[in-house]
Amino acid sequence: MSHSIVNKAYENPGLLYLETALYHMPAAYAELTGNPGNGEITGIVRFYPVGNEVLVNAEIYGLPTRDENCDSDIFGFHIHQGETCTGNAQAPYADAGMHYNPYECPHPAHMGDMPPLFGNDGFAWMMYVTDRFTIADIINRTVIIHSKPDDFTTQPSGNSGDKIACGTIQPVR
């Protein structure tokens, strides 16, 4: 018996998300690079439309690693309002601006707040689904990785540390 995508989503949304990531092109992506002094961070974040939701897939290499067993290798991960990753030596990626927050909500209810990245010996891979934004909302915005985990409390942006990697979200053409 064949099922339509709508029926698959209703019966097993996890299967729909996996099939989307495996068999479909994303609608948008951001290629991330790290700033000098933070190793050779590289990666890609892919954005897939799935009904009224967006499936986000992040694949990141070269993240800082733990020196001790109890050091954190968890990193803040956000969409920022700026359209470029430019900055200067004292403030890399300063032009990425603040978290994307068009409705001026308190943190962590910003449209650009995403789950943290969990590093694994310098590598992180994550996939999640959200209805906080659409693909159109985020085109030409920036994706930022921060040096510390977001505390989900501190205003305005979760005390997540320095911006250590950045990429601009582009449509797939």
Side-chain angles (χ1 to χ4, degrees):
M1 172 186 281
S2 81
H3 298 283
S4 72
I5 285 182
V6 173
N7 286 340
K8 283 183 185 179
Y10 181 76
E11 292 172 15
N12 188 344
L15 180 60
L16 173 64
Y17 301 139
L18 286 173
E19 288 178 350
T20 298
L22 286 171
Y23 302 117
H24 298 279
M25 290 291 292
Y29 70 99
E31 290 184 54
L32 278 70
T33 56
N35 63 40
N38 284 298
E40 297 295 322
I41 300 171
T42 61
I44 188 164
V45 182
R46 299 171 186 92
F47 301 91
Y48 302 85
V50 181
N52 294 326
E53 302 167 326
V54 175
L55 179 66
V56 180
N57 172 231
E59 183 176 340
I60 312 297
Y61 300 88
L63 291 165
T65 57
R66 296 183 295 193
D67 291 329
E68 301 290 330
N69 287 337
C70 294
D71 286 349
S72 176
D73 57 355
I74 304 171
F75 304 91
F77 187 52
H78 307 103
I79 296 173
H80 283 238
Q81 66 191 10
E83 296 183 0
T84 180
C85 292
T86 58
N88 57 56
Q90 290 76 33
Y93 313 130
D95 295 334
M98 299 298 289
H99 292 186
Y100 183 48
N101 187 19
Y103 301 115
E104 299 182 10
C105 299
H107 183 68
H110 301 160
M111 194 179 281
D113 289 336
M114 298 193 288
L117 289 171
F118 284 75
N120 180 15
D121 198 25
F123 173 73
W125 191 92
M126 173 177 59
M127 186 179 295
Y128 81 100
V129 67
T130 184
D131 63 358
R132 286 185 177 222
F133 52 79
T134 66
I135 301 294
D137 291 331
I138 61 171
I139 294 294
N140 295 323
R141 305 284 174 206
T142 49
V143 174
I144 293 286
I145 298 174
H146 293 272
S147 61
K148 299 187 324 188
D150 189 320
D151 67 13
F152 296 102
T153 303
T154 305
Q155 300 300 322
S157 60
N159 194 31
S160 44
D162 296 333
K163 297 170 183 164
I164 62 171
C166 183
T168 300
I169 302 168
Q170 301 296 315
V172 171
R173 300 192 192 274

